[in-house]
Amino acid sequence: MARHREFEPTEVIDKSIDVFLSKGYEGAAIRDLIKVTNVKSGSLYNSFGSKKQMFKNALERFVEVSQFNITLADAETAPPRETIEKLFFDLIEVTDKRGAVGKCLISRATMEVGGVDKEITAWLQEVFEKSERLLCRLIERGQAAGEISSFRSPKELAQFLAITVQGMQVMARFERDNKKFRAIAETALAALDYEK
Amino acid sequence: MARHREFEPTEVIDKSIDVFLSKGYEGAAIRDLIKVTNVKSGSLYNSFGSKKQMFKNALERFVEVSQFNITLADAETAPPRETIEKLFFDLIEVTDKRGAVGKCLISRATMEVGGVDKEITAWLQEVFEKSERLLCRLIERGQAAGEISSFRSPKELAQFLAITVQGMQVMARFERDNKKFRAIAETALAALDYEK
DNA sequence: ATAATTCTTGAATCAATGTTCAAATATTGT
DNA sequence: ACAATATTTGAACATTGATTCAAGAATTAT
């Protein structure tokens, strides 16, 4: 017995992600979000409460839809080595997907609010830990299957690969040279084979 | 035949670096800079012209004084392998020095204004290219001396190590676990030994 | 049709932003 | 001492920021 919402919150958040990605949290003005979503301030505040809440929603939505996290989700059953390689392949080649290299909201948020906003920092840390855990699991399984060298511990390798991905996210801010990223990914993945 | 400046511009910029590091460019308010430097707005604008110019000065100063760039400076003569290892060691262990892991203004600026502000982006890109070039030179010399495997090209290895450093800068925003970073650095540096 | 409820709209609000400027102050040459 | 020049100061300014809210519009139940 009341008026309905005229927009889909998820769509609004999806559009907001693009704004936060290119301008950052502080850099994104509410007016930018209004322009992109075509939803006026009153409605935005009615639905989301605050700019910060919209940012949090954007972060949460991002981890749900980013290819990297989707792929990692079935770390328990997917073919280990192949899946790890796919993680890097998608990152570099599938630039229209969410989370493609240089378009990671998590990396951007980490740089911007990491250590400043306690709550978001803690949440980001959890996200990283979860990714690392899944990556670790994948490596464990890969080692058991003999697809990955057991010279280094799964945890070490997982943390190393996670770092590599973050580094690529930084550099891709101005580099769009896929060949370069392919070479880097190859060098990083080679760590999975070292016996010494 | 006029009044003298009562502050040292370089000192002011050094203090500004800390503010820009923790709050970012947009996040840092002039009033924050006034508080930290104890120089009032009029004087700041008289000396530097604008907030953006202060940020640029901070960036330029940062590359001059950061240990990473200082160490890289004599890539032409320093012992190659040892120097590369020192780069990572300083990054992780010498946390009071400029550019210590998690305190790199270049990484932060890259994430924030990379792709947005054309001029700063171009400048940042040059900085990265120069670092990569010096790192590359170090690797070339290391290969010639037999200290580094020649399986991969110097350029590939340099780009890979550069990425690793950037990744560490991101993660260190909330991690302060040196043991973890040591393991990561070790895994990354192992790439210099792979023969296959 | 009316009441009840919820959403939309956009002007208004208030705090904070980067920047400017006139007045006061300090220094140097004459 | 005085003129000339340059710097400091902080209040003032214009702009932009996030947020609020009263009025209007849409939907449903009765």
Side-chain angles (χ1 to χ4, degrees):
Chain A
M1 42 158 138
R3 184 173 182 174
H4 300 322
R5 220 198 325 254
E6 294 178 359
F7 60 89
E8 196 54 47
T10 304
E11 276 178 29
V12 165
I13 293 300
D14 277 334
K15 285 171 181 164
S16 305
I17 287 177
D18 294 325
V19 177
F20 286 131
L21 252 177
S22 67
K23 304 203 170 189
Y25 171 64
E26 297 244 29
I30 294 287
R31 285 179 179 83
D32 294 329
L33 300 174
I34 292 171
K35 190 182 292 176
V36 162
T37 62
N38 203 29
V39 175
K40 306 303 174 298
S41 62
S43 296
L44 288 179
Y45 277 84
N46 186 39
S47 281
F48 303 107
S50 69
K51 181 187 171 186
K52 180 169 270 181
Q53 189 55 53
M54 289 190 75
F55 188 60
K56 288 180 189 171
N57 287 12
L59 285 169
E60 257 156 23
R61 172 78 177 159
F62 187 87
V63 302
E64 281 173 21
V65 299
S66 65
Q67 188 57 49
F68 193 85
N69 291 290
I70 291 171
T71 303
L72 266 184
D74 33 27
E76 215 51 67
T77 56
R81 179 78 187 223
E82 186 186 327
T83 303
I84 292 174
E85 280 165 7
K86 177 177 156 53
L87 285 174
F88 282 82
F89 178 84
D90 286 349
L91 218 57
I92 297 168
E93 312 291 346
V94 193
T95 51
D96 57 324
K97 285 248 176 68
R98 277 264 117 96
V101 77
K103 291 176 177 176
C104 178
L105 190 57
I106 304 298
S107 312
R108 212 199 197 288
T110 300
M111 268 294 183
E112 188 173 352
V113 306
V116 180
D117 184 299
K118 299 268 172 176
E119 191 194 338
I120 297 184
T121 303
W123 182 88
L124 287 169
Q125 196 153 3
E126 270 178 43
V127 169
F128 276 112
E129 275 165 14
K130 188 181 177 190
S131 291
E132 261 178 39
R133 210 159 46 236
L134 291 172
L135 201 47
C136 187
R137 190 70 193 98
L138 224 36
I139 293 169
E140 269 174 14
R141 291 181 51 237
Q143 289 181 338
E147 296 175 359
I148 292 172
S149 159
S150 293
F151 175 65
R152 286 184 198 278
S153 74
K155 194 169 179 185
E156 275 178 326
L157 289 172
Q159 292 178 337
F160 166 73
L161 290 183
I163 284 276
T164 311
V165 171
Q166 289 311 308
M168 285 169 61
Q169 298 290 3
V170 176
M171 293 306 243
R173 275 272 146 184
F174 33 64
E175 299 261 15
R176 277 252 135 269
D177 181 358
N178 281 15
K179 200 156 68 176
K180 172 174 169 175
F181 285 121
R182 265 178 233 125
I184 290 169
E186 205 189 307
T187 307
L189 287 170
L192 300 178
D193 295 321
Y194 300 144
E195 302 283 358
K196 186 210 64 141
Chain B
M1 42 156 134
R3 186 173 180 175
H4 301 322
R5 220 196 326 253
E6 293 179 0
F7 59 89
E8 196 54 46
T10 303
E11 274 177 31
V12 165
I13 293 300
D14 276 334
K15 285 172 181 161
S16 305
I17 287 177
D18 294 325
V19 178
F20 286 130
L21 252 177
S22 68
K23 304 203 169 189
Y25 172 65
E26 297 245 29
I30 294 287
R31 283 166 180 79
D32 294 329
L33 299 174
I34 293 171
K35 191 183 292 175
V36 163
T37 62
N38 203 27
V39 175
K40 307 304 175 297
S41 61
S43 297
L44 288 180
Y45 277 83
N46 185 40
S47 281
F48 303 106
S50 68
K51 181 187 172 187
K52 180 169 271 182
Q53 189 56 52
M54 288 189 76
F55 187 59
K56 289 180 189 171
N57 287 14
L59 286 169
E60 258 157 22
R61 172 79 177 158
F62 187 87
V63 302
E64 281 173 20
V65 299
S66 64
Q67 189 57 51
F68 193 85
N69 291 289
I70 291 172
T71 303
L72 266 183
D74 34 25
E76 216 50 68
T77 57
R81 179 79 188 221
E82 187 186 325
T83 303
I84 292 174
E85 279 165 7
K86 176 177 155 54
L87 286 173
F88 281 82
F89 177 85
D90 286 349
L91 218 56
I92 297 167
E93 312 291 347
V94 192
T95 51
D96 57 325
K97 284 249 176 67
R98 277 265 118 95
V101 77
K103 291 177 178 175
C104 178
L105 190 58
I106 304 298
S107 312
R108 210 195 199 289
T110 299
M111 269 293 184
E112 188 173 351
V113 305
V116 179
D117 184 299
K118 300 269 171 175
E119 192 193 337
I120 298 183
T121 303
W123 183 88
L124 288 168
Q125 195 152 3
E126 269 178 44
V127 170
F128 276 112
E129 275 164 15
K130 187 181 177 189
S131 290
E132 261 178 39
R133 210 161 44 238
L134 291 172
L135 201 46
C136 186
R137 189 71 192 100
L138 223 35
I139 293 169
E140 271 175 13
R141 291 182 50 238
Q143 288 181 338
E147 295 174 359
I148 291 173
S149 158
S150 293
F151 175 65
R152 288 183 198 278
S153 74
K155 196 170 178 185
E156 275 178 323
L157 288 172
Q159 291 178 338
F160 165 73
L161 289 183
I163 284 277
T164 311
V165 172
Q166 289 312 308
M168 286 169 60
Q169 298 291 1
V170 176
M171 294 306 243
R173 275 272 147 184
F174 34 65
E175 300 261 14
R176 276 252 135 268
D177 179 358
N178 280 15
K179 202 158 66 176
K180 172 174 169 176
F181 285 121
R182 265 179 233 127
I184 289 170
E186 206 190 305
T187 307
L189 287 170
L192 301 177
D193 295 322
Y194 299 145
E195 302 283 358
K196 188 211 64 141

